[in-house]
């Protein structure tokens, strides 16, 4: 009887321990919602810990705002997918198959199941969450294919056609700091250089920058491509007002100094062979970010009782 009672007590203690362990693992417990989507604790923790790693001194208010924004942007992808890919789902059989393949690829590239487990721990992930994020990433890829179809951003070929219609220029950028080492404005020196370039369209800007100006920080950069609606607005707008090779912009005043732009010969071969993939990625990213921001603006993150009781700066 005593032995039976002892075994019973041990079994009961084991069951209690299992129950407590289960309760302590909140990974898939809902903490709130984002629009029509349920937010799980593992998602909240992932975004929280990732942000804290990059901003270790952030306040609770800052952290809350950042995490809410990350979650809204994550679920904005599903909102757009619901509109433009109504027959697809992150839980569909085809998506599960793709995620299975991606998980197997991850295990192989990392060096096995144990290495994957270490990776998950180091990156504040669970296997369930990684699978979900992989599915959302695939949805984003499918969305981009759908949304960019029939536009100049459909492929490298369509982008190149659009660029050839006058949507890129090649220039040399010349920079002067706002002041020299003595605190004197360098605008007048920038204006003098502009005059010299206008008077002699064949002059090499490198030859016109004095040793003293170079020592103060003045520099003439190598030729570069600038693209319409991409990059610094002040510089790109000025660049597209330069119609002919040798044209020189006005002195452009920016927060960090003065700039001049000189239009130079195009190098379409270099653009096509070396720049095009990167340019396409940047254009697509900028455009997609705009769509995500718009969709995220319609979604509100709301914590439930469990979520609202969490202090994000103290999550472990």
């Amino acid at each position: 009887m005593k032995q039976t009672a002892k075994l019973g007590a041990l079994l009961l203690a084991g069951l209690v321990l299992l129950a407590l362990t289960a309760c302590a693992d909140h990974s898939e417990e809902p903490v709130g919602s984002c629009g029509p989507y349920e937010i799980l604790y593992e998602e909240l923790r992932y975004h929280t810990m990732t942000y804290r790693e990059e901003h270790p001194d952030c306040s609770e208010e800052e952290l809350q705002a950042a995490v809410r924004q990350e979650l809204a942007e994550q679920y904005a992808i599903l909102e757009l997918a619901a509109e433009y890919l109504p027959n697809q789902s992150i839980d569909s059989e085809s998506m599960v198959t793709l995620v299975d393949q991606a998980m197997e690829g991850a295990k192989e590239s990392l060096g096995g199941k144990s290495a994957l487990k270490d990776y998950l721990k180091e990156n504040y992930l669970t296997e369930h969450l990684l699978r979900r994020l992989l599915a959302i990433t695939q949805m984003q890829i499918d969305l981009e294919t759908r949304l960019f179809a029939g536009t100049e951003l459909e492929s490298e070929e369509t982008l190149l056609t659009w660029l050839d219609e006058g949507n890129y220029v090649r220039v040399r950028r010349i920079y002067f700091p706002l002041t020299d080492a003595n605190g004197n404005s360098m605008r007048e020196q920038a204006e003098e250089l502009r005059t010299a370039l206008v008077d002699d369209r064949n002059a090499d800007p490198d030859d016109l920058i004095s040793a003293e100006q170079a020592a103060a920080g003045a520099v003439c950069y190598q030729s570069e491509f600038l693209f319409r609606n991409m990059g610094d607005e002040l510089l790109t707008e000025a660049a597209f007002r330069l119609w002919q090779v040798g044209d020189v912009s006005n002195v452009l005043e920016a927060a960090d100094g003065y700039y001049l732009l000189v239009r130079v010969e195009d190098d379409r071969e270099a653009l096509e062979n070396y720049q095009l993939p990167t340019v396409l990625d940047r254009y697509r990213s900028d455009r997609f970010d705009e769509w995500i921001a718009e969709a995220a603006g319609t979604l509100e993150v709301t914590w439930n009782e469990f979520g609202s009781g969490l202090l994000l700066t103290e999550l472990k």
Side-chain angles (χ1 to χ4, degrees):
M1 285 291 294
K2 289 184 179 180
Q3 186 67 20
T4 302
K6 185 177 180 180
L7 289 172
L10 288 173
L11 178 60
L12 179 60
L15 291 173
V16 171
L17 180 58
L18 286 173
L20 289 173
T21 302
C23 291
D25 183 8
H26 299 295
S27 294
E28 297 182 37
E29 184 173 346
V31 294
S33 61
C34 181
Y37 307 100
E38 188 175 66
I39 303 170
L40 303 181
Y41 177 83
E42 60 186 3
E43 297 175 86
L44 174 63
R45 179 179 180 272
Y46 167 71
H47 290 298
T48 296
M49 302 302 286
T50 301
Y51 189 85
R52 277 171 46 185
E53 188 171 273
E54 297 175 356
H55 307 85
D57 298 322
C58 64
S59 65
E60 178 70 19
E61 182 179 10
E62 176 189 345
L63 185 54
Q64 283 275 350
V67 169
R68 286 173 181 271
Q69 184 64 30
E70 287 290 336
L71 288 166
E73 291 177 0
Q74 173 182 307
Y75 285 106
I77 294 173
L78 298 187
E79 279 290 273
L80 289 172
E83 180 177 356
Y84 293 101
L85 303 171
N87 297 321
Q88 291 183 238
S89 165
I90 61 173
D91 300 317
S92 67
E93 184 177 345
S94 60
M95 184 64 75
V96 170
T97 299
L98 285 173
V99 171
D100 285 343
Q101 293 171 352
M103 290 295 293
E104 286 303 313
K107 289 178 185 177
E108 183 176 344
S109 64
L110 289 170
K113 188 173 182 179
S114 179
L116 175 60
K117 185 176 180 180
D118 292 339
Y119 172 84
L120 294 174
K121 183 177 180 180
E122 291 168 4
N123 291 277
Y124 315 112
L125 289 162
T126 64
E127 184 169 339
H128 177 266
L129 178 57
L130 178 58
R131 293 181 65 89
R132 183 173 181 80
L133 294 178
L134 286 171
I136 292 175
T137 299
Q138 183 61 50
M139 291 294 283
Q140 177 174 335
I141 293 171
D142 295 342
L143 260 176
E144 290 182 359
T145 300
R146 166 67 177 83
L147 292 172
F148 291 128
T151 75
E152 74 277 10
L153 301 182
E154 181 173 2
S155 66
E156 291 181 15
E157 290 73 21
T158 58
L159 175 60
L160 186 59
T161 298
W162 180 77
L163 291 174
D164 283 337
E165 294 171 353
N167 292 303
Y168 77 94
V169 293
R170 190 164 177 257
V171 300
R172 291 199 73 181
R173 184 189 317 204
I174 304 165
Y175 167 76
F176 282 82
L178 292 173
T179 61
D180 59 21
N182 298 317
N184 301 312
S185 172
M186 296 193 73
R187 184 182 185 101
E188 185 175 344
Q189 297 182 55
E191 293 282 4
E192 290 174 354
L193 179 60
R194 179 184 185 278
T195 299
L197 290 168
V198 170
D199 290 343
D200 183 359
R201 297 170 67 92
N202 295 317
D204 186 341
D206 290 308
D207 296 336
L208 299 177
I209 295 177
S210 68
E212 291 78 9
Q213 290 171 338
V219 60
C220 182
Y221 294 99
Q222 294 299 310
S223 300
E224 61 182 303
F225 293 100
L226 294 180
F227 303 94
R228 194 177 299 280
N229 301 325
M230 181 191 292
D232 183 275
E233 186 175 347
L234 175 69
L235 298 181
T236 53
E237 287 188 358
F240 280 98
R241 289 195 290 268
L242 306 177
W243 300 105
Q244 299 179 354
V245 172
D247 283 355
V248 185
S249 73
N250 292 327
V251 174
L252 308 168
E253 184 174 351
D256 62 336
Y258 302 105
Y259 289 90
L260 288 168
L261 299 177
V262 182
R263 180 139 188 184
V264 298
E265 290 282 357
D266 289 340
D267 187 347
R268 188 180 182 281
E269 184 177 353
L271 171 66
E272 183 175 2
N273 292 336
Y274 304 108
Q275 298 271 327
L276 206 55
T278 300
V279 174
L280 180 61
D281 285 345
R282 286 190 60 190
Y283 267 120
R284 281 186 159 208
S285 178
D286 289 348
R287 186 81 58 83
F288 196 77
D289 285 349
E290 291 176 4
W291 289 328
I292 289 295
E294 184 177 351
T298 68
L299 298 173
E300 182 179 358
V301 173
T302 304
W303 305 131
N304 60 19
E305 184 177 358
F306 174 40
S308 61
L310 297 171
L311 198 60
L312 301 189
T313 50
E314 295 184 0
L315 286 191
K316 302 297 184 183

